[in-house]
Amino acid sequence: MADTQASPANAIRIRNLYKIFGPRAAQCVDLVKQGMSKAELNATHGHVLGLKDINIDMPGGGIFVIMGLSGSGKSTLIRHINRLIDPTAGEVIVGGEDVVKMNPHDLREFRRHKTAMVFQKFALLPHRNVLDNTVYGLEVRGLPRARQEQTAMRWIERVGLSGFEKSFPNQLSGGMQQRVGLARALANDAPILLMDEAFSALDPLIRMDMQSVLLDLQKEIRKTVVFITHDLDEALRLGDRIAILRDGEVIQQGTAQDIVLKPADDYIASFVKEVNRGRVIQVEAVMRPAADGAHRSALPVPAGTTLDDAARALALAGRDELAVTDASGRPVGILAMADLVTAMVPPGDARKGGAGPAG
Amino acid sequence: MRGGPEVAAPHSVILPHGNFRTGLAVRCDKTRGGRVMDWLTRFPHMNDDTLLLLKKTIDEGFRTFTRAYGDSIEAFFEPLQYFLIQSERFMTGTPWPIILLIVAVISWLASRSWRIVASAVVTLLLIGFFDMWEDTMKTISMIFVCTVLSIVLGLPIGIVMARSDRLQHLVNPILDVMQTMPSFVYLIPVVMLLGIGKVPGLIAVVVYAIPPMIRLTNLGIRQVDRDVLEAADAFGSSGWQKLKNVQMPLALPTIMAGINQTIMMALAMVVIASMIGVQGLGQPVLKAIANQYFTLGVFNGLAIVGIAIIFDRVSQAYGKRLQKHLEVVHG
C-alpha cells in the first residue's frame, strides 16, 4: 500500500549526508562523526550542525514527507536533493546518479529536466503574469514558445486558474499564487517534485483544498514527490512514507500508521497524541486473526480501510463486528466495534496525560 | 622657505598658500613668545623643496604623457565627438514644432499622464519664447549623450559589482572620489589631454554623473528577492538567464532611479562644463557671472531648472509605472 509503483529510476537515496554551516565545515565533519553534539560543536567551534548522518530511501512514484519543527533542518535537507545547498559530506543519488558529484553544467541540466520545485513563499516572478510564470521552466529549457504556452495552459487549467492567465501575482490571493507555483512546477514535467512547505503559508481551509489538489494530481502523474511540512496532520494525510527530523537527525521513518502506532520516542509520541488516529490507522493493524471464517455476521471490509471509514460502515450496517478481507475477498481477520473504538483513542489519555506511551 | 625663483615661477599658484602659512607662524610666535612650541602650532609638514619637487615631477610626467599620447587618446574619443555632433545637429537642425512633438510623445509613452506632457510642452514653449531655444537644444543634446554614455558604461559596471563583494569594496571609494572631488580639479588633466571642446566637457560631466548609475544598478541587483533567485536556480537557469529574467527586471525601478539621478547631476554640471567650451545654457550663465548680467543669468538658470523638471518628472513617472506589479502582496 505504501510503496506505490516503485520505479527505481526516480527513486532518491540519501546516504550519510552531513551539512555543517561555517567556514571550516569540512574539518568539523569528523568531530561530528566521532559523536560531538550540535550544542558542543556550536560552543567549541562556532559551527552550526545542519544535518547529521541522514540516510533516507525515497521510493519512486510516491509522496515522501519530511516532517520537523522549525530549525530541524528539513528545508536544508530538501535543498540537497537539487543541490541548492552543497552538502559537507555524503551522497544524494537520484536515478543512479550522485547529484553531489555533478559539474555545474550537468547540475543545471539535472535541475531543468529531473526536478521541479514549489516554494513556501511562492517565489513567483512579480513582473510576469500567470502564463509567463508558468512557462518559466520550459523557457529556461529553450522549448519553442508555442509548446511552452500549450503545456502551461493545460496546467493552469488543471490547477483551476483558467481565466487568470493574464493576471499578475500581486493581483492573486495566496492560495491562487501557490496554484501558479504548482502549475509552474508541473509544467516542467519533471519526474521529481520538491515541495518546500508548499502549503504552510496558506490558511487552513485553502491548505486542505490544496492537499486535495495534490493528492488528486498524484493519482495521475505518479511523480516522486518530496514534501516538507511542520504539520503532522498534513504529513499523515499526504505521505506514503514519512521521515521525522529533529535537530538535523532523522528520528523515525515509516508509514503514517507506523508512526502513529509505534512512535520511536517520547518526542514523536507527544506529537502523535493529538492526531486523529481513526483517519490514519488501518483495520488490519488492529484486527485479531480470523478464526476459520466462523463469523457470518461480520461485515466484510477490505484491508487498507481506515478505522474512521470502517466505523462509519459498521454504524450504517448496524453491526458490531467486521471481517477484514484481502484483495481476493478472503477474510484475514476480525475486528469488534469495541476494539475499533479503543484503537481510535490515544493510549496516552488513559494514563492521564503524562509523557505518553513510553517504551 | 621657498625654492629659488626660477623654480617657483611656473608654480606661482602655490605661492599665496606658502605666504599664508608663514604669516600664521609669525603671529603665533608673537603670542606664544618663543619658538619652543613651534611644532605644535605649525604642522610639521614635508620639506618644502621635496614637496615642490614631487609636484613638479608629477606635472612633468603628465605633460610628457600628454605630449606622447595626447593625439592617440583624442583619436580614441573620435566616435564620441561624432556622436555629440550628430546629436546636436539633430536637436538644433530639426524644426521646433517637430522637437516639441517628439518631447510630447516621449513624455506620454513614459508617463501616460497628460499633466506631465502638458507641463513639458508649456515649459519648452516658454523657453523658446524667451529666445533660449537654441541653447536649450544644445544642452538637451549634451545631456542625452551623457546619459546614454553613463548607462552604457555604468550598467555593466554595476552588474559586475553586484556579483562580487571584493569589487564592490574596490569601486565604492573610487565612486566617492568621483562625486566629491571638485570638478575643476579633474577638468585640469582632461583639458591638458584633450584641449578645450565638447569631448573633454562630456568626459567631465560623465565622471561626475555616472556614480549614481553604477551605485543604484549594484544596489538594485543586490536587493532582488533571494527566494525568487533561488526559484530561478531551482529551475536550472544559467547565469545569463537569471540576469535577463530575474535580476534586471526586478532591479529596473532602482536602475531607473539611477538614470534619473544621473540626468540631474549632468544638468548640474552644465555651467561648469561650459567653462571648457561646451555650448548650451551654461555659456550665457558664465557670461552673466563675468559681466554681472542679473536677468540673463536668471533666465538661463530658470531654463536649466525647467528642463531638469521635465526630465525628472518623466523619468520618475516611468520608474513608477515599472514598479506597478513588482511589490509583493501577501494575502
Side-chain angles (χ1 to χ4, degrees):
Chain A
M1 197 60 215
D3 299 0
T4 40
Q5 287 191 359
S7 47
N10 304 328
I12 303 168
R13 290 196 330 171
I14 298 173
R15 286 285 169 272
N16 310 319
L17 189 76
Y18 286 85
K19 176 66 190 179
I20 295 166
F21 295 100
R24 290 181 314 281
Q27 291 142 31
C28 294
V29 169
D30 288 330
L31 294 172
V32 175
K33 281 182 180 168
Q34 284 155 25
M36 188 179 269
S37 75
K38 181 174 181 161
E40 226 178 318
L41 183 76
N42 199 4
T44 56
H45 291 76
H47 281 49
V48 176
L49 179 57
L51 293 172
K52 181 181 177 186
D53 198 17
I54 306 286
N55 288 284
I56 295 180
D57 277 302
M58 303 181 186
I63 300 183
F64 194 98
V65 175
I66 296 165
M67 200 224 110
L69 299 185
S70 54
S72 62
K74 55 192 190 302
S75 286
T76 309
L77 178 55
I78 198 175
R79 277 167 177 71
H80 280 85
I81 295 173
N82 58 358
R83 225 176 95 192
L84 287 174
I85 296 178
D86 277 301
T88 311
E91 295 175 335
V92 177
I93 295 159
V94 178
E97 240 190 312
D98 189 353
V99 181
V100 179
K101 293 199 180 74
M102 286 180 182
N103 63 33
H105 174 264
D106 290 348
L107 180 63
R108 215 158 46 227
E109 288 301 312
F110 170 77
R111 286 173 179 169
R112 285 180 185 178
H113 297 280
K114 288 286 165 65
T115 65
M117 196 160 179
V118 183
F119 297 86
Q120 179 177 12
K121 290 185 206 143
F122 320 139
L124 301 174
L125 297 172
H127 61 289
R128 290 183 170 207
N129 63 27
V130 170
L131 178 63
D132 291 337
N133 262 293
T134 310
V135 300
Y136 190 77
L138 305 172
E139 182 189 311
V140 164
R141 276 199 220 170
L143 257 63
R145 177 73 191 182
R147 267 194 61 199
Q148 292 175 23
E149 283 188 19
Q150 195 191 343
T151 313
M153 288 303 283
R154 207 176 69 229
W155 285 110
I156 288 171
E157 197 190 317
R158 189 67 187 79
V159 299
L161 281 179
S162 297
F164 290 97
E165 303 85 31
K166 299 280 176 241
S167 302
F168 283 87
N170 67 352
Q171 299 167 328
L172 302 176
S173 70
M176 288 162 94
Q177 289 188 46
Q178 195 57 302
R179 281 168 196 260
V180 181
L182 194 57
R184 173 174 69 177
L186 292 171
N188 221 19
D189 197 26
I192 293 168
L193 186 59
L194 305 172
M195 305 187 74
D196 178 28
E197 297 220 38
F199 304 150
S200 300
L202 308 176
D203 48 62
L205 275 178
I206 295 172
R207 190 187 310 174
M208 288 286 282
D209 191 32
M210 291 296 284
Q211 288 167 2
S212 309
V213 169
L214 179 66
L215 287 172
D216 276 356
L217 281 170
Q218 175 65 357
K219 276 180 200 143
E220 54 186 87
I221 57 182
R222 291 266 169 228
K223 293 185 188 301
T224 306
V225 181
V226 182
F227 195 100
I228 300 286
T229 182
H230 61 250
D231 177 358
L232 186 63
D233 283 320
E234 188 169 62
L236 296 173
R237 177 157 187 230
L238 295 178
D240 293 320
R241 290 181 69 80
I242 297 167
I244 295 181
L245 219 58
R246 182 194 186 187
D247 287 342
E249 286 181 78
V250 175
I251 45 178
Q252 188 171 7
Q253 288 188 65
T255 62
Q257 188 169 261
D258 290 342
I259 285 165
V260 172
L261 286 178
K262 289 167 277 185
D265 62 9
D266 292 353
Y267 176 75
I268 298 176
S270 66
F271 267 119
V272 164
K273 220 165 53 180
E274 309 301 328
V275 161
N276 182 345
R277 302 162 69 88
R279 253 192 258 150
V280 177
I281 302 172
Q282 296 164 354
V283 282
E284 67 269 29
V286 290
M287 68 188 182
R288 281 179 291 122
D292 305 316
H295 301 266
R296 284 287 168 81
S297 63
L299 177 76
V301 162
T305 310
T306 59
L307 297 187
D308 262 9
D309 292 342
R312 193 173 298 119
L314 275 181
L316 279 175
R319 307 208 203 157
D320 56 6
E321 198 170 39
L322 57 82
V324 181
T325 57
D326 63 11
S328 59
R330 219 161 43 83
V332 291
I334 54 162
L335 183 58
M337 182 62 124
D339 295 336
L340 194 153
V341 171
T342 311
M344 286 168 80
V345 180
D349 287 9
R351 294 192 221 159
K352 270 262 161 238
Chain B
M1 276 307 285
R2 272 167 248 140
E6 77 283 355
V7 185
H11 289 271
S12 55
V13 205
I14 65 162
L15 282 180
H17 195 61
N19 281 336
F20 172 70
R21 265 216 228 104
T22 322
L24 189 74
V26 169
R27 208 168 64 231
C28 288
D29 281 352
K30 269 183 200 154
T31 48
R32 302 268 167 162
R35 292 183 149 266
V36 192
M37 302 296 276
D38 202 32
W39 60 273
L40 262 185
T41 51
R42 283 194 52 195
F43 200 96
H45 60 79
M46 192 196 275
N47 181 293
D48 283 325
D49 293 331
T50 324
L51 193 61
L52 201 63
L53 188 70
L54 179 71
K55 291 174 182 167
K56 241 185 77 177
T57 320
I58 295 175
D59 278 356
E60 212 37 65
F62 191 70
R63 234 172 252 132
T64 323
F65 174 78
T66 310
R67 269 194 292 274
Y69 297 104
D71 287 342
S72 41
I73 290 176
E74 233 180 299
F76 176 76
F77 287 113
E78 198 68 42
L80 270 186
Q81 175 98 11
Y82 177 77
F83 186 16
L84 272 168
I85 290 172
Q86 287 305 314
S87 152
E88 195 174 306
R89 197 171 286 166
F90 174 79
M91 291 303 286
T92 51
T94 313
W96 65 266
I98 295 179
I99 296 281
L100 263 184
L101 190 70
I102 293 173
V103 170
V105 168
I106 292 175
S107 314
W108 169 251
L109 289 180
S111 67
R112 299 290 156 93
S113 149
W114 286 116
R115 228 166 48 86
I116 290 175
V117 175
S119 52
V121 169
V122 168
T123 309
L124 282 181
L125 283 175
L126 278 175
I127 286 172
F129 188 65
F130 282 92
D131 193 21
M132 294 179 291
W133 184 265
E134 178 115 7
D135 281 339
T136 304
M137 287 306 113
K138 284 176 178 165
T139 295
I140 291 180
S141 146
M142 177 77 182
I143 300 300
F144 171 71
V145 176
C146 280
T147 309
V148 169
L149 197 62
S150 297
I151 295 172
V152 167
L153 293 175
L155 202 63
I157 296 176
I159 291 170
V160 177
M161 203 171 146
R163 300 191 156 205
S164 147
D165 283 335
R166 198 187 289 176
L167 194 70
Q168 179 177 246
H169 291 312
L170 199 80
V171 174
N172 259 335
I174 299 177
L175 296 182
D176 291 337
V177 171
M178 283 162 74
Q179 280 187 298
T180 47
M181 177 76 84
S183 19
F184 293 105
V185 176
Y186 56 77
L187 281 183
I188 304 166
V190 172
V191 170
M192 280 170 80
L193 267 175
L194 299 166
I196 298 254
K198 285 189 175 61
V199 172
L202 177 74
I203 292 172
V205 175
V206 168
V207 167
Y208 184 69
I210 203 173
M213 184 65 214
I214 298 175
R215 274 192 222 277
L216 286 164
T217 304
N218 173 39
L219 181 74
I221 291 182
R222 280 174 186 268
Q223 276 178 340
V224 168
D225 189 354
R226 295 180 73 102
D227 292 331
V228 180
L229 264 186
E230 191 184 41
D233 267 331
F235 281 93
S237 310
S238 63
W240 166 246
Q241 283 171 328
K242 260 194 295 185
L243 183 69
K244 177 178 67 110
N245 296 330
V246 184
Q247 290 171 311
M248 286 304 286
L250 295 192
L252 208 53
T254 313
I255 293 173
M256 271 309 295
I259 295 176
N260 173 287
Q261 287 300 301
T262 293
I263 296 173
M264 293 301 115
M265 293 183 76
L267 269 169
M269 278 288 284
V270 162
V271 176
I272 291 169
S274 71
M275 293 176 71
I276 52 168
V278 173
Q279 290 184 308
L281 290 168
Q283 292 220 315
V285 174
L286 209 61
K287 200 161 102 190
I289 297 170
N291 300 305
Q292 302 183 353
Y293 294 152
F294 172 66
T295 322
L296 181 72
V298 169
F299 277 8
N300 283 279
L302 283 177
I304 294 177
V305 171
I307 56 175
I309 291 176
I310 298 176
F311 277 132
D312 182 65
R313 295 300 183 272
V314 170
S315 59
Q316 274 201 28
Y318 183 61
K320 217 168 245 160
R321 280 209 313 126
L322 283 178
Q323 241 164 348
K324 206 169 66 182
H325 292 299
L326 289 189
E327 317 85 276
V328 179
V329 177
H330 298 282

